[in-house]
Amino acid sequence: MKDDNARLRAAIDKLRVPIYIKDPRGRYVYANDLACELLERLRSDVLGRSDSELFPPDLADAMQAHDRRAIAGREPVIAEERLRLPGHPEMSWGLSIKQPLFDAEGQPEGVAGLTIDITARKRAERELVAVKNDYAAILQALPDPLFVLDAEGRCLSYRTPSEALLAAPPALFMGRTVREVLPPAEAETCLEALREAEERGHSSGKVFKVETPGGTRWFELSVARMVRSAGEPQRFNVLSREITARKKMEQALQERESLLRAVVDNTPVEYWARDLQGRCIMQNAMTAAHWGDLLGKRVEDSGEIEPVSADWAESNRLAYAGETVHKEVEYEIDGESRIYQCLVAPIRVGGEVVGIFGFNQDVTERKRQERQIHELAFFDPLTGLPNRRLMFDRLEHALGTSARRGTEGVLLLIDLDHFKDLNDSHGHDAGDQLLVEAGMRLNACIRQGDTAARLGGDEFVVILEDLEGIAQASTIAYRICEELARPFHLRCGKDGEGITHQVSASIGVGAFGRAELGAAELLRRADTAMYQAKAAGRNSICFFDPAMQAAVTERAILHADLREAIRSGQFELHYQVQVDAQRRPSGAEALLRWRHPHKGLLAPGGFIELAEETGLIVPIGHWVLEIACRQLARWAQRPQTAHLQLSVNVSARQFRQPRFADEVRALLELTGAPAERLKLELTESSLIEDAEGVIERMEALRVLGIRFSLDDFGTGYSSLAYLKRLPLVQLKIDQSFVRDVMSDPNDATIARTILALGSNLGLAVIAEGVETEEQYDFLAAQGCRDYQGYLFGRPVPLEVFEAALAPG
């Protein structure tokens, strides 16, 4: 028996449950190994001690109370005790079972107990309580009703912040299925949400409506499958959110969008919108009809969708940057030019740019009508010229500009002489044809920037601005007279019979720029001058200013005299000798003179400029070339003159004639003149316009043997790039440099440079205007080998020139 007790005690000592025995005074008389381990004490240090010596006071008091209750009740006590064990910073929980012990007489012998560690269970209980509290807080915070339904849709329970959120009183749906309380379609929506949650664990976005006495109410369901234990039926948490306000807002938005779509689609403009990536997100019917379907496409996706250009890219860039862009664009559509008024602007949401939109409106017809209105308001419908109203606007502008800049201009008032006779004899249709042609001829006579207008009837006005002088105005006026005097070829009558009719023009001229004048006063002056022109016999020009009129009259007389001089052969050539380095005659320059019947012998300075302006220089130049060729042919027949060269000046206007080379070739063949003895002198002004054409003509003539000299070198346009391409044989130092070569270092340097340039380019150099021995000596020292000037001989008639060449 004793051995059995020892074995039992040894087994109890090793049990992994704390076991202990206390005597009636509460002192420990037994503690197994685990109890000692938990107390971190030796058994000898535990036995004989009480709870107050081993545990904190509050825990010791609780243990002793449990012991007393077990002894007093004479039955076991089960109690939870919170333990703080040595070495364990956290509190532990134990479930203690206290068994009272009694002797044979029933007297208490103490308490036997054991303690089971329930710390993990207590922690789980705390966590479960926390979860329940969180869940309760969430439920408390939910603004929407929460229902618990089973798989058939039966309402098991609900919770709601307010019963006003429910579509019906709770008694109507508690314990009943959705099929019993909702119409079939709405009930099916709810059951579908439950089935979806059963499969996937959750469901959301299902919407149904309920008709109530207060109107239709819309709800959106969110369903979650609840966790269940084995054998339990499936239940679901169903959150029901009322979205009636949202549905009304969506409906209102849909109505507004439909209204906007109806407006946009039926507005006669193209509309489009793009997102931040440049993709088209909206278009109306006109846009799709014009460009095709743009939705989802960017501008650069297809060149056929929308014109891709730097201009479009820049407009879109500015719109994305927040600017509104207005522009006018012209497209070619089905072979027809169409004009669109375009707008590109940003789309903003909360101040942020989220895209761009644009309108394209076809304004072709409007533009055409505006042009027609403008033309009717400002242009003569017959001739297309500016009308009286626009003429006055431009005249006022010209007067203001002239006053600011200090420039001069004139107003020409032009009346067609005897125009009424044409209307009377051939009808107004013929008269209209002549007026149209007259307007075209006026436009051809004036410069760019000048204005030709129809004042009314057979009266026209020309405004000339920024004139270089009265001579320029006179030249244009005479050109107008000449153009209007040319025959008009008209068609009149039902059969379109052709007739030729001639008119003349009386022109009154009023000048502006010297004094302040109004447009009306200037027109009055020109009108006065025009009637003076008619009184003088018509077909004439009259200036309001007497001094200007005198100059114009003199110019007109000179012009007429020039024409007569050509017809009656009043021109003659004088010859100025050219010598070599040994002062031996090497040739001559042919110089034009005019033997005027009243003014005597005139040098070119008195009439060449007018001849150039009027174009008379061309027939005059032809005469000079013919006489020069005939003279060369005669010199070639005599040994003493056969070596002579003859230089002839050719004007730029004459040289630019398309058939000039053919003309010279014909003269050489006609006269038999040696081409190699003919030297044509060109000025630098000949090279300013159509340089390639000049070079081509020079090459054609050089093939014939003709040689070229560049006259007045250094005084005008000098391009070395062209100089090296020209087939020249000679440069001519202008007399303006030779005159002061001994007194002006600059002129001396220029002369020296031209001589060096000629030497380097392999060109001969001749100096003209040599009048003193000092000039000759200077030029000779610089390498000059050919000369011309009063030192060697003045320009003289042919017989005097040839007499000077005779021996002896």
Side-chain angles (χ1 to χ4, degrees):
M1 184 72 176
K2 189 174 185 179
D3 291 337
D4 291 340
N5 289 336
R7 283 194 297 272
L8 178 61
R9 181 167 184 148
I12 294 174
D13 283 344
K14 300 302 181 184
L15 285 176
R16 300 310 295 168
V17 176
I19 298 175
Y20 56 88
I21 299 175
K22 302 179 188 176
D23 64 14
R25 289 182 296 176
R27 289 191 296 270
Y28 284 89
V29 295
Y30 172 75
N32 71 350
D33 293 347
L34 183 58
C36 295
E37 288 177 15
L38 292 175
L39 291 173
E40 294 183 350
R41 292 172 181 266
L42 297 174
R43 183 176 284 109
S44 59
D45 193 30
V46 173
L47 298 179
R49 293 179 179 272
S50 65
D51 290 329
S52 58
E53 295 174 288
L54 298 175
F55 300 100
D58 55 341
L59 180 57
D61 292 343
M63 289 179 171
Q64 291 170 1
H66 294 155
D67 292 346
R68 288 192 295 271
R69 187 157 60 89
I71 294 173
R74 306 183 73 83
E75 61 181 359
V77 172
I78 300 174
E80 291 182 358
E81 296 176 342
R82 196 171 187 185
L83 309 175
R84 184 184 298 277
L85 300 174
H88 294 274
E90 296 182 0
M91 299 291 288
S92 299
W93 285 90
L95 182 64
S96 296
I97 302 174
K98 309 244 179 162
Q99 175 66 45
L101 300 176
F102 297 94
D103 59 15
E105 286 83 15
Q107 294 300 317
E109 288 187 345
V111 176
L114 62 85
T115 302
I116 301 172
D117 187 357
I118 60 169
T119 303
R121 192 194 78 188
K122 293 294 288 184
R123 185 180 300 115
E125 288 177 355
R126 285 199 306 273
E127 290 175 355
L128 180 60
V129 170
V131 168
K132 289 181 177 180
N133 291 337
D134 290 343
Y135 182 66
I138 292 172
L139 291 178
Q140 190 69 28
L142 281 177
D144 303 310
L146 181 67
F147 299 87
V148 177
L149 304 183
D150 62 16
E152 295 180 356
R154 180 176 289 99
C155 182
L156 305 178
S157 65
Y158 77 94
R159 184 198 173 284
T160 180
S162 169
E163 291 195 357
L165 297 176
L166 301 176
L172 182 64
F173 55 80
M174 279 298 300
R176 303 173 70 184
T177 67
V178 292
R179 292 190 184 278
E180 296 176 283
V181 298
L182 291 177
E186 283 70 21
E188 183 59 32
T189 298
C190 296
L191 292 172
E192 183 181 348
L194 295 177
R195 288 193 293 269
E196 188 174 296
E198 174 71 26
E199 295 174 3
R200 299 192 307 176
H202 63 87
S203 174
S204 62
K206 294 292 189 294
V207 176
F208 69 95
K209 64 181 178 179
V210 176
E211 299 295 338
T212 69
T216 303
R217 297 175 67 179
W218 290 86
F219 296 89
E220 184 179 56
L221 300 180
S222 295
V223 183
R225 186 178 60 202
M226 297 176 64
V227 178
R228 61 174 175 170
S229 301
E232 288 186 352
Q234 182 64 62
R235 295 184 300 165
F236 301 90
N237 278 326
V238 180
L239 189 67
S240 175
R241 171 166 295 174
E242 183 169 1
I243 58 170
T244 304
R246 191 184 82 188
K247 292 294 287 187
K248 289 181 178 179
M249 185 178 298
E250 289 176 354
Q251 183 176 359
L253 287 174
Q254 289 174 356
E255 291 174 355
R256 291 180 185 177
E257 184 176 352
S258 297
L259 176 61
L260 176 62
R261 170 61 67 183
V263 171
V264 169
D265 278 345
N266 292 282
T267 300
V269 297
E270 297 173 4
Y271 172 81
W272 54 265
R274 296 186 179 279
D275 61 17
L276 290 177
Q277 286 71 45
R279 291 184 295 264
C280 182
I281 56 176
M282 186 176 181
Q283 64 181 4
N284 68 350
M286 286 194 69
T287 301
H290 187 174
W291 304 110
D293 187 10
L294 301 181
L295 289 176
K297 297 177 182 177
R298 297 172 298 175
V299 175
E300 60 270 22
D301 287 343
S302 172
E304 298 179 357
I305 292 177
E306 191 170 310
V308 180
S309 65
D311 179 53
W312 268 107
E314 178 64 10
S315 298
N316 289 352
R317 186 191 67 78
L318 293 173
Y320 279 120
E323 297 186 30
T324 299
V325 181
H326 297 269
K327 64 180 179 179
E328 200 169 274
V329 180
E330 187 169 350
Y331 294 133
E332 191 77 20
I333 301 176
D334 298 330
E336 181 185 4
S337 178
R338 308 293 295 180
I339 301 172
Y340 283 81
Q341 189 72 42
C342 302
L343 175 144
V344 185
I347 302 172
R348 287 188 172 89
V349 175
E352 295 293 325
V353 175
V354 297
I356 62 174
F357 73 95
F359 289 99
N360 304 335
Q361 183 176 11
D362 190 338
V363 294
T364 307
E365 295 304 320
R366 191 188 78 192
K367 287 289 184 179
R368 186 177 294 122
Q369 293 169 3
E370 288 176 354
R371 282 197 301 271
Q372 291 175 350
I373 293 171
H374 178 77
E375 289 172 359
L376 289 173
F378 294 102
F379 291 88
D380 175 46
L382 178 63
T383 63
L385 296 176
N387 61 13
R388 184 184 188 93
R389 178 180 177 183
L390 182 55
M391 183 276 295
F392 268 102
D393 287 346
R394 291 189 179 179
L395 183 55
E396 291 285 4
H397 181 269
L399 292 173
T401 302
S402 176
R404 288 194 305 273
R405 297 179 180 175
T407 56
E408 296 183 356
V410 298
L411 175 73
L412 308 180
L413 180 58
I414 305 163
D415 184 85
L416 301 180
D417 299 327
H418 304 298
F419 176 74
K420 185 174 180 295
D421 295 344
L422 176 63
N423 280 338
D424 292 343
S425 59
H426 295 285
H428 288 280
D429 182 59
D432 288 347
Q433 290 181 55
L434 188 144
L435 291 174
V436 172
E437 179 65 24
M440 296 172 62
R441 294 185 187 185
L442 282 178
N443 266 331
C445 290
I446 61 178
R447 307 162 303 167
Q448 185 176 4
D450 294 335
T451 296
R454 185 185 178 200
L455 199 59
D458 62 344
E459 285 189 332
F460 295 87
V461 166
V462 169
I463 304 170
L464 304 176
E465 301 183 62
D466 294 326
L467 294 174
E468 298 175 359
I470 189 59
Q472 189 177 16
S474 176
T475 298
I476 296 174
Y478 275 105
R479 187 185 307 152
I480 290 173
C481 275
E482 290 177 350
E483 283 297 310
L484 294 178
R486 288 193 298 107
F488 288 85
H489 301 287
L490 311 173
R491 292 195 174 275
C492 56
K494 293 182 179 180
D495 298 331
E497 180 184 355
I499 64 168
T500 299
H501 188 81
Q502 277 190 283
V503 297
S504 59
S506 297
I507 302 179
V509 185
F512 59 86
R514 299 181 181 180
E516 291 187 5
L517 281 177
E521 172 61 20
L522 182 60
L523 185 61
R524 186 193 66 78
R525 292 186 177 189
D527 188 63
T528 299
M530 186 268 290
Y531 277 103
Q532 290 176 355
K534 283 189 174 293
R538 291 182 169 81
N539 193 27
S540 60
I541 302 169
C542 186
F543 277 74
F544 182 81
D545 187 334
M548 295 173 68
Q549 180 60 45
V552 170
T553 301
E554 181 180 354
R555 186 180 180 84
I557 293 171
L558 183 61
H559 187 198
D561 288 350
L562 267 176
R563 290 184 177 276
E564 179 60 29
I566 294 172
R567 284 193 295 268
S568 58
Q570 296 174 8
F571 295 107
E572 57 186 63
L573 291 183
H574 285 200
Y575 299 84
Q576 186 175 26
V577 69
Q578 295 177 340
V579 301
D580 59 17
Q582 287 74 40
R583 302 195 182 195
R584 295 175 300 192
S586 58
E589 180 179 0
L591 300 170
L592 182 64
R593 297 294 185 265
W594 180 8
R595 186 71 64 176
H596 194 278
H598 305 297
K599 298 179 181 180
L601 190 66
L602 299 180
F607 62 87
I608 282 295
E609 182 179 354
L610 180 59
E612 288 273 7
E613 292 176 1
T614 59
L616 294 178
I617 192 65
V618 175
I620 292 173
H622 180 83
W623 178 85
V624 170
L625 273 173
E626 182 178 352
I627 298 302
C629 288
R630 292 187 185 279
Q631 188 57 52
L632 273 175
R634 286 193 290 269
W635 281 348
Q637 302 302 318
R638 292 181 289 175
Q640 64 271 29
T641 58
H643 69 286
L644 294 179
Q645 303 175 26
L646 188 56
S647 297
V648 178
N649 287 287
V650 179
S651 76
R653 187 165 186 172
Q654 180 185 7
F655 194 80
R656 284 197 291 269
Q657 295 296 309
R659 297 188 56 81
F660 178 75
D662 295 334
E663 175 189 338
V664 175
R665 184 183 296 107
L667 286 176
L668 291 174
E669 293 174 355
L670 175 67
T671 61
E676 67 276 5
R677 296 298 177 187
L678 177 62
K679 183 163 50 178
L680 300 184
E681 293 191 2
L682 302 176
T683 60
E684 296 181 47
S685 62
S686 303
L687 308 177
I688 295 178
E689 297 181 11
D690 191 23
E692 295 299 329
V694 168
I695 295 172
E696 182 179 346
R697 293 186 189 95
M698 291 177 70
E699 289 289 353
L701 293 171
R702 185 182 65 83
V703 172
L704 300 177
I706 294 173
R707 298 186 297 166
F708 293 92
S709 176
L710 189 57
D711 195 11
D712 302 335
F713 184 70
T715 62
Y717 176 85
S718 299
S719 171
L720 297 181
Y722 281 121
L723 187 62
K724 68 179 183 179
R725 296 177 56 196
L726 297 173
L728 298 170
V729 297
Q730 187 181 69
L731 301 177
K732 199 168 193 178
I733 303 176
D734 187 69
Q735 60 183 345
S736 63
F737 301 132
V738 175
R739 182 184 306 114
D740 297 322
V741 74
M742 302 307 297
S743 58
D744 189 333
N746 291 330
D747 286 346
T749 299
I750 291 173
R752 189 182 298 114
T753 301
I754 294 174
L755 286 164
L757 179 63
S759 176
N760 290 333
L761 293 178
L763 300 176
V765 179
I766 184 170
E768 67 174 346
V770 180
E771 298 181 355
T772 67
E773 291 291 344
E774 289 80 4
Q775 293 170 345
Y776 171 78
D777 291 340
F778 173 83
L779 292 167
Q782 303 305 318
C784 187
R785 296 293 177 264
D786 296 286
Y787 307 89
Q788 179 181 341
Y790 288 177
L791 180 62
F792 314 104
R794 292 175 176 270
V796 294
L798 178 63
E799 59 272 17
V800 177
F801 178 79
E802 290 183 336
L805 295 177

